[in-house]
Amino acid sequence: FDHEGTEREYLLHLPEDLPKKAPLVVFLHGYRGDARDYAKMGMSRVADANKFAVVYPQGLPDRRKIPHWNARMKLSTVDDIGFLKSMVAYLQKKHGLDPKRTFVSGVSNGGFMSYTMVSEHPETFRAAASIIGTMSGETWRKREQMKPVPVLQISGLSDRIVPVDGSMSAAGGWGGAPDQKTIIGFLKKLNQTGSEEIIEVSSRTTGYRYGGGVSGNEVWLYEVKDWGHRVPRAKELGVHSVDLVWDFFSRY
């Protein structure tokens, strides 16, 4: 895919007998990630079962030559925001996908980017799901520009790479956002949620679901005890992360 003279790459999974106006999920890899590896995580399986398209874009190298997503970071000048927006518009048109049901999710750095995309382009992305990620410092600083949008956050409470207490270093533009509960509090207020449901999903995982928001929006937070910077499996989370992401997105 050519974006403003730069060649970009992605993997696209289209289930058989995909109906017209099917949803699209953009699934973003983590820092140092390869889209081919993340395509094996299970989202394509979920897409086949629920008849939606899923695309796995590939990030470009940052100044340290590491594949990344530029979620308003200081570590590169790559226009990932423009690329993802343009790529989505192209895929929607080419494959007849529903522009009102396009979602963005990602792992770690991909989670950061998911927050940035729904913050800056809610007209393109209906909802976001961050797996062991958070907001970048710049996205948090510009939070007042955000419009109501559904968000799912999955966090390991023992994560030292993206700690839930907001203590991540601001170097490179990563840190700067507060603790996860403060971010969720902001999103609850933004979406004007009016209900709370606490679910003990497993012996290690607690889910907090805040509903009744603007346009039916919900904000979900799933916390996994004694879990670090890895994607939670069904054993820990009580459900596979990608299944939970689609459970959330499918409501919209």
Side-chain angles (χ1 to χ4, degrees):
F1 182 82
D2 180 89
H3 175 62
E4 297 185 348
T6 300
E7 184 179 278
R8 303 299 303 257
E9 297 179 320
Y10 62 83
L11 291 171
L12 177 66
H13 180 78
L14 298 172
E16 293 183 7
D17 302 318
L18 189 68
K20 293 182 179 179
K21 291 285 187 177
L24 171 64
V25 171
V26 180
F27 197 71
L28 304 173
H29 62 71
Y31 196 58
R32 304 180 187 274
D34 188 305
R36 292 169 292 192
D37 296 328
Y38 285 73
K40 300 173 183 176
M41 275 186 57
M43 189 61 83
S44 295
R45 165 185 59 79
V46 181
D48 287 338
N50 295 279
K51 299 303 179 185
F52 63 87
V54 54
V55 61
Y56 307 91
Q58 179 60 48
L60 292 178
D62 64 9
R63 292 191 176 98
R64 298 171 59 195
K65 310 299 182 185
I66 297 173
H68 77 300
W69 296 109
N70 185 9
R72 294 296 180 196
M73 305 286 196
K74 299 176 182 177
L75 41 78
S76 86
T77 57
V78 175
D79 179 24
D80 282 322
I81 295 171
F83 160 56
L84 293 176
K85 190 171 182 293
S86 298
M87 179 199 68
V88 161
Y90 168 76
L91 293 175
Q92 289 169 344
K93 183 177 181 180
K94 182 176 181 180
H95 299 286
L97 304 173
D98 191 347
K100 295 183 179 180
R101 290 190 296 162
T102 295
F103 309 98
V104 60
S105 179
V107 176
S108 189
N109 183 202
F112 280 74
M113 196 66 191
S114 298
Y115 275 114
T116 299
M117 295 311 297
V118 291
S119 173
E120 301 193 23
H121 292 289
E123 78 286 356
T124 298
F125 297 99
R126 179 66 181 90
S130 165
I131 304 172
I132 60 174
T134 187
M135 283 192 190
S136 66
E138 187 65 16
T139 296
W140 173 254
R141 282 189 287 274
K142 293 183 177 179
R143 65 190 179 279
E144 298 305 326
Q145 74 178 9
M146 286 186 71
K147 295 180 180 179
V149 62
V151 174
L152 162 65
Q153 173 65 44
I154 302 173
S155 297
L157 293 181
S158 298
D159 192 334
R160 295 182 179 179
I161 305 298
V162 184
V164 295
D165 65 2
S167 61
M168 190 173 189
S169 169
W174 292 99
D179 63 277
Q180 198 67 65
K181 287 292 179 68
T182 298
I183 294 173
I184 293 298
F186 164 74
L187 293 170
K188 286 166 55 181
K189 184 177 180 181
L190 177 70
N191 287 285
Q192 301 177 39
T193 59
S195 65
E196 177 185 64
E197 181 183 9
I198 301 176
I199 306 169
E200 295 301 331
V201 186
S202 70
S203 60
R204 296 176 66 169
T205 299
T206 303
Y208 302 87
R209 297 186 176 188
Y210 305 99
V214 177
S215 302
N217 291 358
E218 297 188 16
V219 177
W220 291 7
L221 170 63
Y222 277 65
E223 295 180 332
V224 187
K225 301 173 186 175
D226 302 317
W227 192 253
H229 196 66
R230 291 180 293 154
V231 175
R233 303 164 299 189
K235 180 179 179 182
E236 296 81 25
L237 193 60
V239 60
H240 195 293
S241 294
V242 292
D243 289 295
L244 180 61
V245 167
W246 178 247
D247 181 18
F248 183 69
F249 287 162
S250 67
R251 296 162 186 264
Y252 309 103

Coordinates of all heavy atoms in Angstrom, one line a residue, residues 7 26 81 133 135 157 197 201 207 221 223 238:
E7 N 6.1 2.9 0.8 CA 5.5 1.6 0.6 C 5.2 1.0 2.0 O 6.1 0.9 2.8 CB 6.4 0.7 -0.2 CG 5.8 -0.7 -0.4 CD 6.7 -1.6 -1.2 OE1 6.8 -1.5 -2.5 OE2 7.4 -2.4 -0.6
V26 N -8.9 -3.7 12.7 CA -7.4 -3.5 12.5 C -6.7 -3.9 13.8 O -7.0 -3.5 14.9 CB -7.2 -2.0 12.3 CG1 -5.7 -1.7 12.1 CG2 -8.0 -1.5 11.1
I81 N -0.5 7.5 11.7 CA -1.9 7.9 11.8 C -2.5 8.1 10.4 O -3.6 7.5 10.1 CB -2.0 9.2 12.6 CG1 -1.6 9.0 14.0 CG2 -3.5 9.8 12.6 CD1 -1.5 10.2 14.9
G133 N -1.5 -2.2 26.8 CA -1.0 -0.9 26.3 C -1.6 0.1 27.2 O -2.2 -0.1 28.2
M135 N -2.4 4.9 27.0 CA -2.2 6.1 26.2 C -0.8 6.6 26.3 O -0.1 6.5 27.3 CB -3.1 7.2 26.8 CG -4.6 7.1 26.5 SD -5.4 8.7 26.9 CE -7.1 8.2 26.7
L157 N -1.5 -6.7 36.2 CA -1.2 -5.8 37.4 C 0.3 -5.9 37.8 O 0.7 -5.0 38.5 CB -2.1 -6.2 38.6 CG -3.6 -6.0 38.4 CD1 -4.4 -6.4 39.6 CD2 -3.9 -4.5 38.1
E197 N -20.7 -2.9 36.4 CA -20.8 -4.4 36.7 C -19.4 -4.9 36.9 O -18.5 -4.7 36.1 CB -21.4 -5.1 35.5 CG -21.5 -6.6 35.6 CD -22.1 -7.3 34.4 OE1 -22.2 -6.6 33.3 OE2 -22.4 -8.5 34.5
V201 N -14.0 -13.0 36.6 CA -13.9 -13.8 35.4 C -13.2 -15.1 35.7 O -13.6 -16.2 35.3 CB -13.2 -13.1 34.3 CG1 -13.2 -13.9 33.0 CG2 -13.8 -11.7 34.0
G207 N -13.1 -8.2 35.9 CA -13.6 -7.3 34.8 C -14.5 -6.3 35.4 O -15.4 -6.5 36.2
L221 N -12.6 -2.6 31.7 CA -11.3 -2.8 32.2 C -11.2 -4.2 32.8 O -11.9 -4.5 33.7 CB -11.0 -1.7 33.3 CG -9.6 -1.9 34.1 CD1 -8.4 -1.8 33.1 CD2 -9.5 -1.0 35.2
E223 N -8.5 -6.6 34.6 CA -7.2 -6.7 35.3 C -6.8 -8.1 35.7 O -7.6 -8.9 36.2 CB -7.2 -5.8 36.6 CG -7.5 -4.4 36.3 CD -7.5 -3.6 37.6 OE1 -7.9 -4.1 38.6 OE2 -7.2 -2.4 37.6
G238 N -9.6 -16.1 31.6 CA -10.9 -16.7 31.6 C -11.5 -16.8 30.3 O -12.4 -17.6 30.0

